[in-house]
Amino acid sequence: MFPVFVSLFKRQVPEQNKMASNGLLLFTSTRYAVTSNCIKHNLQHAAKKLTAGVLYVYQWLPSQSGGPASRAKTEDISTQISRFSLVSSRVYCAAQTLCPHLDIRCLYEKSINNGSNRPSVPVDLVMVERNTGHTVGTNVITPHVVRKFVSQNFRVANSFEVEFVNDPSKEKVPSEIPPAPSARLFGVVGVGGTFDRIHNAHKVLLTEAVIRCEKDLNLAVVHDKMTKNKTLGELIEPFETRKEKAVAFCKDLVPHLQISVLPLTDAIGSTATDHFDLLVASAETSAGLELINKMRKDNGLNPAELLTINVLDDQSKMNDMEEDKISSSSQRIRLLGSRLKPPLKSPSLPYIIGITGGTCCGKTTISAFMETLGVPSINSDSMDHETYKNGSKCFDKVVNAFGKDVVSSSGDSIDRKALGKKVYASKQAMNKLHAIVWPEIKQLVLEQINYHTKQGAKAIILDASFLLEAKWDDLCHDIWVITIPNEEAIKRVQSRDKVSKEVAVRKVGSQVSSQKRIQRATFVFSTMWDEKFTKSQVKKAWSIIESSILRL
C-alpha cells in the first residue's frame, strides 16, 4: 500500500493521521463484478480511515487501454442493471458488519455520467482499489475524480487524498454477469416502507427500484399513524425526516429521477388504483404484491410486474431481542442505553442523572440497579408522602384547594386515593395540585442532593415521574427516559393497583406521552424484555457517563 496525495492545484501532503469526514471508494481493477473478498478488504480499509460520515462506492470500468472511457457506456441496460445489482448488494451486505458506523452509498453509473450531478456530500478522501493484474495510473484517476466528483458547487478541502489499496483476493472474476430478475427499465416504479433510520437492507431495496426506473419513482413512506404498534415505535423518526432521508438516498443514486412521495396510511396505498409498471418489495411482503395485482385486475388495470428482494441476514445481531434479518426494529433496540444527545450541561460533580417515564415503566428497577453500582438515588415520587402529612405546608394548601374530604380518616395525612379521584378526572385540577406540591418536593430533593454530595457521591440518580413536567431538567446533566407501550403500562397498572382496565386507561392517558419525553432524553431505556437485558442497557449508559466523571 502506498499513498499519493493529489491537490486540485498542486501536490500537497496532508497532516499525518488526519481522519477524513467522507470518502469515495473507487473500484477500477475489474471489468465485471467486484469480488466479495475484494469488497471486504477495501471496506475494512475504509472503516479505519473514516470514523463516521458517508462512504460513496463507485465501480469505474476503464477501457482495455486503461483510459477513462467507461465500459458501462457499451453495456446493454440489462447487463448494467444486473452488474450493479450484484456489486451493490455485496457491498451493503459486507458493510453491515465491517463498517456499520459508515453511511454507505453505491453510486450508479448513470448518476456519475450525468455531467452536472454530483454526490450530495463533500468528499475529502478518495481510495482507489487496484491489484497487480490491472494498474490505473494517477494521471488517469486524478482528472477522472476531479471531473466526476469535484465541481465549483462541490465543497472540498484544500486537497483531497488518493490512496491505492491493494486487493489480496484470489477470487476469479466471472466473465459474464448472471442476469438479474426484471433487468430492464420501467416507466413508473413503486417501492414502499417505513424507512426508519435507513439501513443497508433499505438501501438494497431502494437501489433495486431506482436502477430499474426510467422516469417516475413513487416512494410510499409509512405515515406516523401506522408506526405506533411497531417495536419501540416511540423511537421511530417522524414522517418528514424519514421521507427526506429516503429521497436524498435515491437522488444520490440517480439524480434525474422524478420522485413522488406518497404518505402510506394503509397496506395498499395507491398501488391498486394508479398506474404502475413495476412494484418492488421485500420477499416478506410478496403475498401482498399478489393481492395488489388481483385488486388492480378488479379495478380494470393491467397487472404490474413484481420484483421481490430477499431480506438480508444480520450477521451483527447482538442479542435475542433483535431480529435475524437487518431491520429498523433491531436498530432501535440498539439505541437503548446509547447516548442520543450531548449532556444538558458540562460534566461536574455531583453528576445528576434524572430518570423519568410513565407509571409502571420500571424507573424504580433501574434506580435500584444503579444503587448496586454505587450510585445513590433520590425517589422524589415517594416524597409526596412527606408533603401530604398533617402539619406540612402542603397539607393545608391541598385541603384548602380540594376540600376536607381528601383528608384520611385518621386525619394524619391526605388520602391519596380520594385526592386521585378528583385530580385524574380534570386536567385543571391536576395542574392546581402540581403547582402546590412540586415546589415543596423540589426543596426536599435539593436537601437530599446536598446530603449525598457531603457523603462524597460523584453521581446521583434523581428518580421523578414528573421531572420534565416540573422543569427539573435544570438540575440534571443527563435525562434517562424509560418507555414501554401504553398497552403494557395499562396491564401493569391493573396488576399493581388492582383496578379496572377503564381506570388504568384513564391513569395512563393522563400522562405525557413517551414520544414527548423522548424528545428531551439524552438516553432511552425499555423494560419490555427480561431483567438481564434491562441491566445491560443500564451498564452501557453508565459506562459512557462514568468515563466522563473519571476525567473530572
Side-chain angles (χ1 to χ4, degrees), residues 267-537:
I268 303 298
S270 64
T271 53
T273 56
D274 291 350
H275 174 71
F276 285 95
D277 298 308
L278 174 69
L279 295 175
V280 183
S282 68
E284 297 173 306
T285 59
S286 58
L289 290 181
E290 296 293 344
L291 174 62
I292 287 170
N293 262 349
K294 182 179 182 302
M295 296 173 67
R296 291 178 66 82
K297 183 178 179 181
D298 293 341
N299 290 330
L301 298 172
N302 291 327
E305 187 157 340
L306 307 178
L307 176 63
T308 56
I309 309 301
N310 291 331
V311 298
L312 301 184
D313 292 336
D314 192 349
Q315 302 299 324
S316 60
K317 180 178 177 180
M318 295 181 177
N319 52 62
D320 292 338
M321 277 58 70
E322 296 179 10
E323 298 184 90
D324 293 329
K325 64 176 183 177
I326 298 174
S327 71
S328 295
S329 296
S330 295
Q331 287 203 142
R332 292 192 294 275
I333 290 173
R334 291 173 194 175
L335 290 175
L336 300 175
S338 301
R339 179 170 288 287
L340 303 181
K341 294 178 184 178
L344 302 183
K345 54 186 177 181
S346 299
S348 59
L349 298 180
Y351 197 102
I352 309 297
I353 301 170
I355 295 185
T356 189
T359 184
C360 291
C361 69
K363 298 189 306 300
T364 303
T365 299
I366 290 179
S367 296
F369 180 60
M370 285 295 290
E371 288 186 333
T372 68
L373 300 178
V375 182
S377 66
I378 301 170
N379 189 339
S380 61
D381 292 350
S382 65
M383 288 182 176
D384 59 1
H385 291 285
E386 293 296 319
T387 59
Y388 285 162
K389 286 182 179 180
N390 196 342
S392 69
K393 295 179 181 179
C394 262
F395 180 90
D396 293 334
K397 291 179 180 179
V398 170
V399 172
N400 290 335
F402 297 98
K404 294 181 179 180
D405 55 336
V406 299
V407 178
S408 64
S409 57
S410 65
D412 293 337
S413 64
I414 298 295
D415 185 330
R416 292 162 59 87
K417 286 188 177 180
L419 179 62
K421 289 179 181 179
K422 292 191 174 187
V423 298
Y424 282 124
S426 167
K427 186 175 181 179
Q428 184 179 5
M430 181 69 80
N431 290 339
K432 183 188 293 186
L433 177 64
H434 291 163
I436 295 171
V437 176
W438 285 348
E440 298 296 328
I441 296 178
K442 186 174 184 179
Q443 281 303 120
L444 296 176
V445 166
L446 292 173
E447 291 173 9
Q448 285 292 302
I449 289 175
N450 186 51
Y451 167 78
H452 288 299
T453 301
K454 289 180 178 179
Q455 296 299 309
K458 293 185 177 181
I460 300 171
I461 295 294
L462 173 53
D463 179 347
S465 59
F466 47 85
L467 186 144
L468 297 176
E469 297 93 312
K471 299 181 180 179
W472 290 1
D473 47 337
D474 63 343
L475 300 175
C476 305
H477 294 84
D478 273 310
I479 301 295
W480 289 11
V481 171
I482 297 92
T483 181
I484 56 174
N486 279 354
E487 295 75 15
E488 177 66 17
I490 290 166
K491 290 178 183 178
R492 293 184 185 183
V493 169
Q494 283 184 272
S495 175
R496 183 194 67 181
D497 298 344
K498 309 301 180 187
V499 295
S500 66
K501 184 175 181 178
E502 182 183 3
V503 172
V505 167
R506 188 165 63 246
K507 186 168 187 177
V508 171
S510 68
Q511 303 175 128
V512 174
S513 69
S514 290
Q515 286 87 344
K516 288 186 177 180
R517 285 194 176 101
I518 288 171
Q519 288 174 6
R520 298 169 67 183
T522 57
F523 290 84
V524 173
F525 306 81
S526 178
T527 58
M528 275 297 294
W529 296 277
D530 59 44
E531 186 176 340
K532 182 179 178 181
F533 183 56
T534 299
K535 288 181 177 180
S536 72
Q537 298 170 44

Side-chain angles (χ1 to χ4, degrees), residues 36-290:
S36 296
N37 284 342
C38 177
I39 288 171
K40 291 177 182 178
H41 175 71
N42 283 279
L43 287 180
Q44 284 175 326
H45 176 82
K48 296 175 184 177
K49 292 291 184 178
L50 302 173
T51 55
V54 177
L55 174 65
Y56 290 110
V57 178
Y58 173 47
Q59 186 185 7
W60 178 42
L61 298 177
S63 66
Q64 290 183 345
S65 63
S70 172
R71 180 182 176 86
K73 292 180 180 179
T74 62
E75 285 181 334
D76 62 72
I77 192 65
S78 176
T79 302
Q80 189 172 343
I81 289 172
S82 298
R83 177 175 52 77
F84 190 78
S85 172
L86 178 64
V87 173
S88 61
S89 62
R90 285 178 173 177
V91 169
Y92 290 128
C93 286
Q96 186 66 18
T97 53
L98 297 178
C99 45
H101 60 291
L102 297 179
D103 179 0
I104 306 293
R105 302 182 195 180
C106 294
L107 297 175
Y108 194 38
E109 289 87 340
K110 290 174 110 179
S111 66
I112 300 305
N113 291 330
N114 189 342
S116 62
N117 293 310
R118 304 285 188 251
S120 60
V121 177
V123 168
D124 53 5
L125 172 66
V126 180
M127 292 164 281
V128 184
E129 164 272 334
R130 73 169 192 172
N131 62 25
T132 55
H134 183 78
T135 302
V136 180
T138 307
N139 62 326
V140 174
I141 293 172
T142 303
H144 177 79
V145 171
V146 172
R147 183 174 67 254
K148 299 297 185 182
F149 295 94
V150 181
S151 74
Q152 60 182 354
N153 297 321
F154 188 42
R155 294 187 298 109
V156 293
N158 291 332
S159 65
F160 64 89
E161 179 182 343
V162 176
E163 192 171 275
F164 289 104
V165 185
N166 291 325
D167 171 21
S169 172
K170 302 299 181 183
E171 284 185 276
K172 183 178 179 181
V173 178
S175 58
E176 292 184 1
I177 298 293
S182 306
R184 60 188 179 87
L185 292 177
F186 297 81
V188 181
V189 177
V191 62
T194 306
F195 302 120
D196 179 42
R197 294 175 175 84
I198 290 181
H199 51 65
N200 289 315
H202 287 145
K203 292 175 181 179
V204 170
L205 179 68
L206 291 170
T207 295
E208 297 295 344
V210 165
I211 63 178
R212 289 168 173 81
C213 185
E214 187 170 28
K215 185 180 178 183
D216 295 321
L217 180 71
N218 282 266
L219 184 62
V221 180
V222 174
H223 195 271
D224 294 337
K225 297 176 182 178
M226 296 278 288
T227 63
K228 294 179 180 178
N229 294 327
K230 291 181 178 288
T231 301
L232 294 172
E234 57 270 41
L235 284 173
I236 293 178
E237 295 173 315
F239 170 79
E240 288 297 326
T241 301
R242 293 182 282 115
K243 177 191 76 173
E244 289 172 5
K245 290 182 178 180
V247 170
F249 177 79
C250 293
K251 283 289 188 183
D252 252 358
L253 264 66
V254 184
H256 71 269
L257 287 182
Q258 297 293 323
I259 301 179
S260 301
V261 179
L262 309 173
L264 197 59
T265 56
D266 57 54
I268 303 298
S270 64
T271 53
T273 56
D274 291 350
H275 174 71
F276 285 95
D277 298 308
L278 174 69
L279 295 175
V280 183
S282 68
E284 297 173 306
T285 59
S286 58
L289 290 181
E290 296 293 344

